[in-house]
Amino acid sequence: MPGTDTVSDRAQEIVDEFSLFSDWMGRYEYLIELGDDIPLLPDEHKTDDNYVHGCQSDVWIHAEYDDENSVLHFQGDSNAKITKGLAALVIRVLNEQPPEAVANASFDFLDDIGLQDNLSSQRNNGLQAMIEQMQERAKTFRN
Amino acid sequence: MPATTSPQTDAPAFDAEAFRADFPALQQDIYEDTPLVYLDNAATSQKPTAVIDRLDHFYRHENSNVHRGVHRLSQEATDEYESARQSLTEFINAQREEEVIFTRGTTEGLNLIASTFGEMTVSEDDEILLTEMEHHSNIVPWQMLAERVGAEIRVLPVNDRGELEMNRLDEFLTDDTALVAVTHVSNTLGTINPIEALIDAAHAVDVPVVVDGAQSAPHLPVDVQALDADFFVFSGHKMFGPTGIGILYGKHEHLEAMPPYHGGGDMIDEVSFDGTTYDAPPHKFEAGTPNIADVIGLGTAAEYMMDLDWTAVQAHEDDVLSYATEKVGAIDGLRLIGTAAAKTSVLSFVFDDIHPYDAGTFLDRLGIAVRTGHHCTQPLVKRYGLPGTIRASFAAYNTRQDVDRLVEGIQNVKSMLG
């Protein structure tokens, strides 16, 4: 829904949800579930422009600006489930937010959900690349 | 291992458990109570106490620069440094110590050859023959050279099993071939290439051969004289030695004819502003203060390996690989990539419906260290139409129990992600 809740509200919601799982397996299963739930990215959006460089697996993030509500719509997909789950988390906090909020968003919450430690540094780089690409897009829409 | 080590028929069979006890890093838990199963040896091996202690001893008692000092410590460090060269000479059965150049590793060795010998040997319209299974470090330096001089890269293909198509060699080894650069063992497939046949064929038409021994030096006998390779390069860190150190072996006649790679201290005969004359090999190629501690550590690793009964070690490594091939290969929904008749120590596989990165991440969380991705062999992985593979690679300290843990891990991955 267009942004009544802020980036940090949504981040807190995610942290609360992940805290319900006591073991890593549960957290991963939930992450994968979140990835399975995001809408499929149509093939026409799987373009070179939307391709995220820096991920070990294939990832695409598509951004569209909604003039009427002055917010950004994000869609994403990956051929790896864990990467897709991570894309889903980032999309969930940034979707339907004004470009300014996307560009300035903090992702500290990723440290608090108990997955970061288990992610290889290369996967972390991929996650960082995803975030940077979304924030760069946001800057192009910012007035 | 080294051909100079003759089989010790009275030695007991290789005791992998006792050997494993030499490696402190293997004794730890990863993620709380999960013991580490280290199956990423093609990337780098763990280090035995002997090598770790040798580095520690150097910095505590021997640290000094080499080849320059008249003081006692510098003389000792120089002796140890040159004694490591002797050990490595023996390890690969080189004819003389001057043929053993210390480099940062395989990659630097290949770049050195491309920039010096390559520049001398390859001209416009010549061809450089590589194979489809080369690691990027044995592709990119040659591409850079080819671009500089206007040469062409030709690529000998592999078949579906991951073996070189040797029956097509005549098509690729032509009158225009100026140089062949080939890996001894594939880091992605484990294939042992018929390197002797390749060298013989190339030499029959007077073409020199560079062998990338990064994956063979840790597992196979290396006898550069028997191979008659023009160059043979490898890294220390894959054979129980330190990182950032490796060997470039070159036939003495080539090394003498080659220009230096880097200029600086310790590689000169005489310097004046009018011009400089260079030292003889090996020092011509070792400009600047070398990686002294790690050279000495590598010498210890070579000695450590030469002390083993390699007939027994190879029998053990073959047993672990066949056991893994049988157990992992029998898992439903999983396919082995690389099924060459001659293989060593690498088991690459993919799932029908699970991405290698997902599998690798879960295996890691279960304490099993494997590599996933293209293993720096993108052309090869693309040839099989894959996004990457999951690669379990073994060393002499791995056992059937490690394979059992891997199989159990794979079953868990399947139930979580399948």
Side-chain angles (χ1 to χ4, degrees):
Chain A
M1 295 297 102
T4 47
D5 45 357
T6 64
V7 168
S8 57
D9 290 342
R10 292 190 194 170
Q12 190 54 51
E13 208 175 271
I14 290 172
V15 173
D16 293 345
E17 287 169 16
F18 272 86
S19 71
L20 299 174
F21 300 97
S22 57
D23 64 345
W24 67 270
M25 214 184 286
R27 286 193 286 272
Y28 268 114
E29 275 168 355
Y30 187 56
L31 182 76
I32 288 167
E33 226 172 86
L34 292 175
D36 285 343
D37 288 346
I38 59 172
L40 287 177
L41 185 66
D43 279 347
E44 74 249 32
H45 292 324
K46 290 184 179 173
T47 60
D48 287 349
D49 271 359
N50 287 336
Y51 190 80
V52 180
H53 292 273
C55 291
Q56 278 197 36
S57 44
D58 292 332
V59 188
W60 297 266
I61 302 277
H62 177 66
E64 260 174 34
Y65 187 58
D66 171 355
D67 273 326
E68 200 176 314
N69 297 303
S70 307
V71 293
L72 283 159
H73 293 274
F74 287 108
Q75 284 175 290
D77 199 2
S78 171
N79 59 350
K81 290 187 174 196
I82 292 172
T83 313
K84 195 175 176 197
L86 293 169
L89 285 185
V90 179
I91 288 174
R92 187 165 148 194
V93 297
L94 298 183
N95 202 26
E96 318 278 334
Q97 297 284 357
E100 197 69 29
V102 172
N104 296 323
S106 148
F107 294 88
D108 291 349
F109 80 94
L110 291 168
D111 292 331
D112 301 329
I113 57 173
L115 285 174
Q116 200 99 323
D117 284 350
N118 301 338
L119 294 173
S120 69
S121 59
Q122 289 200 23
R123 197 182 285 279
N124 260 325
N125 291 343
L127 181 59
Q128 203 51 47
M130 234 187 277
I131 291 169
E132 276 168 22
Q133 182 160 320
M134 292 167 87
Q135 294 193 312
E136 285 303 314
R137 286 289 154 88
K139 284 175 193 165
T140 65
F141 294 111
R142 194 162 52 173
N143 290 324
Chain B
M1 280 333 317
T4 47
T5 309
S6 55
Q8 298 158 27
T9 44
D10 54 345
F14 180 67
D15 182 347
E17 286 300 336
F19 183 71
R20 190 185 182 91
D22 270 358
F23 294 79
L26 298 174
Q27 320 303 322
Q28 63 185 313
D29 283 352
I30 294 286
Y31 300 123
E32 296 129 25
D33 297 331
T34 312
L36 171 66
V37 174
Y38 187 77
L39 300 177
D40 194 17
N41 295 286
T44 197
S45 64
Q46 297 301 338
K47 316 305 170 202
T49 301
V51 171
I52 299 167
D53 286 353
R54 188 66 192 86
L55 295 174
D56 180 86
H57 183 81
F58 174 79
Y59 283 119
R60 286 180 193 280
H61 304 288
E62 298 168 335
N63 178 49
S64 192
N65 212 330
V66 293
H67 297 146
R68 295 173 186 79
V70 291
H71 58 84
R72 174 72 182 263
L73 213 52
S74 175
Q75 287 171 29
E76 277 180 12
T78 304
D79 288 349
E80 293 299 323
Y81 181 87
E82 292 303 331
S83 151
R85 200 187 308 273
Q86 276 173 15
S87 300
L88 270 301
T89 305
E90 191 188 335
F91 182 76
I92 59 173
N93 194 31
Q95 203 168 22
R96 48 202 287 188
E97 284 167 40
E98 291 84 348
E99 293 175 325
V100 172
I101 318 284
F102 290 115
T103 63
R104 283 191 295 153
T106 305
T107 300
E108 189 178 52
L110 292 167
N111 276 280
L112 190 158
I113 301 164
S115 296
T116 55
F117 185 76
E119 291 272 358
M120 288 165 50
T121 319
V122 183
S123 323
E124 199 174 352
D125 300 328
D126 278 349
E127 293 173 0
I128 301 169
L129 179 58
L130 308 178
T131 82
E132 204 171 12
M133 67 168 76
E134 297 310 315
H135 187 275
H136 295 167
S137 56
N138 202 26
I139 299 175
V140 183
W142 304 115
Q143 280 177 329
M144 290 162 69
L145 170 68
E147 207 164 299
R148 283 200 301 275
V149 303
E152 196 191 330
I153 302 282
R154 300 287 308 272
V155 183
L156 183 65
V158 299
N159 65 22
D160 290 343
R161 291 186 303 277
E163 295 160 329
L164 292 178
E165 292 189 0
M166 291 294 283
N167 56 337
R168 296 180 60 191
L169 189 58
D170 285 349
E171 240 178 90
F172 290 88
L173 191 63
T174 72
D175 289 345
D176 293 327
T177 309
L179 190 138
V180 175
V182 59
T183 190
H184 195 172
V185 168
S186 161
N187 70 315
T188 300
L189 307 171
T191 308
I192 303 172
N193 285 325
I195 201 77
E196 296 87 350
L198 263 166
I199 293 171
D200 287 349
H203 283 180
V205 287
D206 287 329
V207 173
V209 181
V210 177
V211 179
D212 170 354
Q215 299 295 338
S216 60
H219 301 287
L220 301 177
V222 175
D223 181 335
V224 290
Q225 292 189 68
L227 276 183
D228 198 27
D230 294 273
F231 295 94
F232 190 95
V233 292
F234 59 100
S235 301
H237 69 97
K238 295 184 202 289
M239 47 166 274
F240 311 132
T243 53
I245 192 71
I247 296 300
L248 183 164
Y249 158 83
K251 282 184 179 171
H252 196 254
E253 69 209 62
H254 294 323
L255 296 179
E256 278 204 309
M258 280 154 59
Y261 180 46
H262 291 143
D266 215 26
M267 50 77 75
I268 50 91
D269 170 34
E270 200 172 323
V271 176
S272 79
F273 284 108
D274 297 326
T276 295
T277 51
Y278 306 115
D279 202 348
H283 300 116
K284 178 165 77 175
F285 298 102
E286 293 179 3
T289 296
N291 186 352
I292 305 163
D294 292 316
V295 162
I296 294 171
L298 177 57
T300 304
E303 294 286 343
Y304 180 82
M305 289 182 80
M306 288 190 285
D307 282 346
L308 298 170
D309 170 3
W310 275 93
T311 306
V313 169
Q314 279 190 277
H316 168 73
E317 287 196 5
D318 288 348
D319 173 68
V320 171
L321 181 65
S322 350
Y323 184 70
T325 306
E326 183 195 326
K327 293 286 173 186
V328 174
I331 298 172
D332 278 345
L334 179 153
R335 185 157 56 100
L336 299 180
I337 305 297
T339 49
K343 276 189 70 172
T344 186
S345 296
V346 169
L347 195 73
S348 255
F349 54 94
V350 290
F351 291 96
D352 294 339
D353 53 359
I354 301 172
H355 196 283
Y357 301 125
D358 286 333
T361 303
F362 274 95
L363 286 173
D364 167 62
R365 199 55 192 75
L366 296 164
I368 302 156
V370 292
R371 179 59 63 95
T372 59
H374 52 64
H375 319 299
C376 295
T377 57
Q378 281 181 0
L380 179 65
V381 171
K382 277 190 193 139
R383 185 242 180 257
Y384 291 101
L386 300 168
T389 76
I390 301 151
R391 180 187 72 184
S393 53
F394 307 99
Y397 43 61
N398 290 120
T399 60
R400 284 183 173 217
Q401 284 74 27
D402 291 336
V403 175
D404 291 338
R405 281 276 305 279
L406 172 67
V407 170
E408 197 186 314
I410 291 171
Q411 298 294 7
N412 272 312
V413 167
K414 278 185 61 177
S415 61
M416 283 190 284
L417 293 163

